[in-house]
Structures are given as structure tokens and as C-alpha cells.
Amino acid sequence: MEPQQIREGYLVKKGTVLNSWNAVWVVLSEDGVEFYKKKTDRSPKGMIPLKGAAIISPCQDFGKRTLVFKITSEKKQDHFFQASHVEERELWVKDVKRAVTCLQGGRKFARKSTRRSIRLPDKINLNELYTLMKDGDDGVRELKLEQENKVFNHCFTGATVVEWLVSKEKARNRPEALMLATGLLSEGFLQPAGDLSKEGAEGAEQTAFLDQTNALYYFADSGFFCEGYSSDEEDALVKEEFRGNIIKQGCLLKQGHRRKNWKVRKFILRDDPAYMHYYDPTKGDDPLGSIHLRGSVVTAVEHVPDAKKYDIDGNLFEIITSDETHYFLQAATAEERKEWIKAVQAVSKSGK
């Protein structure tokens, strides 16, 4: 029997010979991880057997390159993958761990409902806790805070996190809350924003998270950005694009406007103002471009000019902006296309 396919999607992978990072199509099955140069390729570039493998997440070997996890094969070969956001990394890591465990026990793959942290008591589920903290009505409130001639948008203090954990009875006292916050920080759910919190995170102390009112943090999937005081009106207008809450994010194939070639891009959809920014997923945090969605039209399409030339077929959709600019995109699955279209339609109507 063919191994059951568990998960597939775009990830960024570090080359095994060269140090370059490239977007690849990854397929996880019961006994291995295959990766392809393109989704439509019939033969994989490589395969990682999961029998006897180990997985480390988060993998912090690459400094500024966050959201990385490492799979080490039984033959001690290291493979590094980077997700586009925290939830995506957690889903991949959970399924890979489960596949390895099932192989070791000679059992058929089956998902468990929770992920357990190796650093914390069994009953703690950091992924669920993170979701509660991000709740717009009852979670940790994101603020605009000023510190040392800088403005930190969509962030909060370490003391605020600790107090929220205690007040919501997620921890019995401040030391226990500090332990939970440190777990959230070490696994990449929370990120340090200012110099003080960064120094704490990089220190060797057991509690890397700081329970202080001047230590700033932000959600890994928030609209966080830092800016210095500036009188540049144009710069202020650009920054305005990033103030909205993140509604959806992930990798899609995008057709270029000039050369008409297709490349994997990371997209982040924000609601107010209504923008969709796209990035090279193998590089830094600066966007390659943005799509202003207010008044735009988005529809599923079956054919795109030049798509056949690049072997692109299925799950296509088009965004037409209010100034008549056309963007052609491809989702990984029919369900994902449906989710993106629904999200973009909602933002185009409600966002400014």
C-alpha cells in the first residue's frame, strides 16, 4: 500500500550543499518528507526518511531567520525548513512528530488533538494559550507605545502578559505565569520588540521573558512594526499600510507583471487599511509590493494567460484592483483558494 499523505504545502528549505534558502513544495507522508522544486514536478528533489528521525522546533541556529524547524534523519543528516507563520510551523511540526512516533511504535498515523510542550507540564497547550491571548475582545491588548525616540506599534509589555495570565487563571501566580510566558517566547509565539526584551531573550537565564513594564513584546503574527520619529509625510503614509490586523497569511504562486513568470510569494492580508503585501519567503521582512484592496474584485478563474507555459494549472484566482490592475494567483488546494477569496472579499468591502 502507498503511504498515507498527511500534509502538503510550500515551505522554505535550506540547501544541503549550498547555504541558499529556496521555496519548495513539501509533502509529508507516514514514512517520509518529500520536497519538490515545483508543485507539478513528478519526481522529488529529495526525500527524508522519518524512521528514527528527530525534530527540533523552534530551531534558532540562524539568528534573524525565525520560524525554522529542523529534521535530523537517522543517518544524522540535518534538514532545515522555514514556515511563513507560527500556526503553519506548529501544524507541520505536530504532524511530523506524530508520524515519527507512529513509526517507532509500528502504528498507523492518527492525529492527536493537542501539542504538548517538552518544557512545561503535560496539561499546558501553548498553541491554544496563544490563540486565547490573541482574542480581540478578551486577550492581551495590542498598543502603540513610545520608548527611546521610537514608536512600537501592535505591542505590549512583559508585565501585561504576566498579569493577563494570572487574571485569566492560566497561572496560579506571577512566577508560574513567567514560566508560561518564557515558554511562549522560546517557541516563537511571542517576540521581543525593544532592546531590553531582546537582551533578556538572548541571555542565558532560565526565565528569558521579562516581567517588566518597560520590556516590550509582540505576537509573532501581529502587524508589529517599529518606527523612529519622522516628519516625512510619505514615509508615514507607507507605514499606515501596516496598521491593520492580520486576517490571513501564507504562500501562494504569483504571476509577475512584466515577465509573466510564476514565483512563490508569502502574502499577508490586513484589514484596516485593506492591503495585501507580498514578500520573497526566502528573504527578509521588506515587502516586494502591496495590493490596495479597497473596492477590488476577486474571483476564481480557470485559465490565466501564459499559465500553461509555466505548467500552472488549477486553483487559480484573480484580483482586480479599483485602478484596474490585475493580479493572478494560485492557491495550493481548492479549499485554500476558497478561503483566500472569502477573506479578500470581506476585506475589500470593510477596509478603507
Side-chain angles (χ1 to χ4, degrees):
M1 291 180 64
E2 286 290 316
Q4 177 191 349
Q5 185 173 304
I6 298 166
R7 178 175 296 281
E8 61 180 351
Y10 293 109
L11 293 172
V12 173
K13 185 181 185 298
K14 181 179 178 294
T16 51
V17 179
L18 303 175
N19 286 325
S20 58
W21 292 76
N22 295 290
V24 292
W25 180 257
V26 183
V27 178
L28 168 65
S29 61
E30 292 176 299
D31 60 357
V33 175
E34 293 179 331
F35 49 95
Y36 299 76
K37 185 177 180 180
K38 294 189 301 179
K39 180 188 175 185
T40 51
D41 287 351
R42 294 187 177 182
S43 301
K45 287 181 67 178
M47 190 269 196
I48 308 166
L50 289 180
K51 185 177 180 181
I55 184 166
I56 293 177
S57 176
C59 174
Q60 298 172 329
D61 294 2
F62 302 99
K64 292 182 179 179
R65 192 177 284 277
T66 59
L67 304 176
V68 174
F69 63 92
K70 177 172 73 171
I71 301 175
T72 303
S73 68
E74 192 174 31
K75 294 183 178 179
K76 305 304 179 187
Q77 292 178 315
D78 291 335
H79 300 269
F80 300 93
F81 294 92
Q82 181 180 16
S84 61
H85 55 282
V86 169
E87 281 89 348
E88 182 180 63
R89 184 194 68 188
E90 291 301 299
L91 290 171
W92 276 97
V93 168
K94 181 172 69 173
D95 281 349
V96 172
K97 282 183 177 180
R98 187 66 184 148
V100 171
T101 301
C102 290
L103 277 173
Q104 288 172 343
R107 301 189 303 276
K108 189 78 174 172
F109 179 90
R111 286 194 173 96
K112 284 189 173 180
S113 61
T114 60
R115 180 189 62 79
R116 294 179 176 179
S117 169
I118 58 172
R119 298 180 180 85
L120 299 167
D122 286 347
K123 65 180 181 178
I124 300 300
N125 185 320
L126 292 182
N127 201 29
E128 289 181 359
L129 184 60
Y130 178 66
T131 301
L132 291 172
M133 292 177 73
K134 286 182 65 180
D135 184 274
D137 298 321
D138 207 31
V140 175
R141 190 179 173 194
E142 296 175 88
L143 302 170
K144 180 177 180 179
L145 300 173
E146 298 184 22
Q147 194 178 92
E148 297 177 353
N149 294 327
K150 292 180 181 179
V151 179
F152 297 86
N153 297 270
H154 293 284
C155 70
F156 38 79
T157 70
T160 300
V161 173
V162 171
E163 287 161 7
W164 183 89
L165 288 166
V166 174
S167 67
K168 300 299 178 183
E169 298 182 349
K170 305 302 177 185
R172 291 171 295 182
N173 49 48
R174 291 189 86 91
E176 191 173 283
L178 186 57
M179 179 188 71
L180 282 176
T182 299
L184 288 161
L185 178 70
S186 65
E187 297 221 3
F189 291 103
L190 302 181
Q191 297 287 329
D195 292 339
L196 183 63
S197 56
K198 288 177 182 178
E199 288 171 9
E202 291 167 2
E205 297 296 323
Q206 186 175 359
T207 53
F209 190 91
L210 302 178
D211 178 10
Q212 298 180 23
T213 56
N214 55 347
L216 305 183
Y217 298 90
Y218 63 94
F219 294 128
D221 291 331
S222 75
F224 171 79
F225 66 94
C226 175
E227 56 187 325
Y229 290 121
S230 173
S231 58
D232 191 331
E233 186 176 337
E234 184 177 341
D235 182 58
L237 289 171
V238 172
K239 293 292 185 185
E240 178 71 20
E241 294 182 12
F242 299 92
R243 294 187 189 278
N245 294 316
I246 292 178
I247 302 302
K248 187 171 177 59
Q249 58 185 317
C251 286
L252 299 166
L253 270 179
K254 176 184 175 294
Q255 186 186 54
H257 277 103
R258 293 181 182 177
R259 296 176 60 189
K260 302 300 180 184
N261 56 346
W262 291 76
K263 291 187 177 180
V264 178
R265 294 293 180 235
K266 173 184 173 180
F267 284 82
I268 298 180
L269 172 65
R270 292 181 170 87
D271 65 349
D272 189 18
Y275 275 91
M276 196 152 98
H277 294 86
Y278 53 94
Y279 305 73
D280 183 338
T282 68
K283 295 181 180 176
D285 297 328
D286 294 326
L288 298 174
S290 64
I291 307 171
H292 190 197
L293 296 173
R294 178 64 176 167
S296 66
V297 176
V298 55
T299 56
V301 294
E302 300 308 319
H303 304 286
V304 171
D306 293 325
K308 289 291 184 184
K309 179 182 175 183
Y310 292 95
D311 197 21
I312 307 296
D313 191 24
N315 306 319
L316 298 160
F317 63 101
E318 178 185 17
I319 298 173
I320 306 174
T321 64
S322 58
D323 63 358
E324 296 294 322
T325 305
H326 294 243
Y327 294 88
F328 293 105
L329 308 165
Q330 185 193 42
T333 65
E335 183 61 30
E336 188 178 89
R337 176 174 71 169
K338 184 178 178 182
E339 290 174 0
W340 272 105
I341 289 174
K342 183 178 178 181
V344 173
Q345 283 176 337
V347 166
S348 69
K349 293 174 184 176
S350 62
K352 65 182 179 181

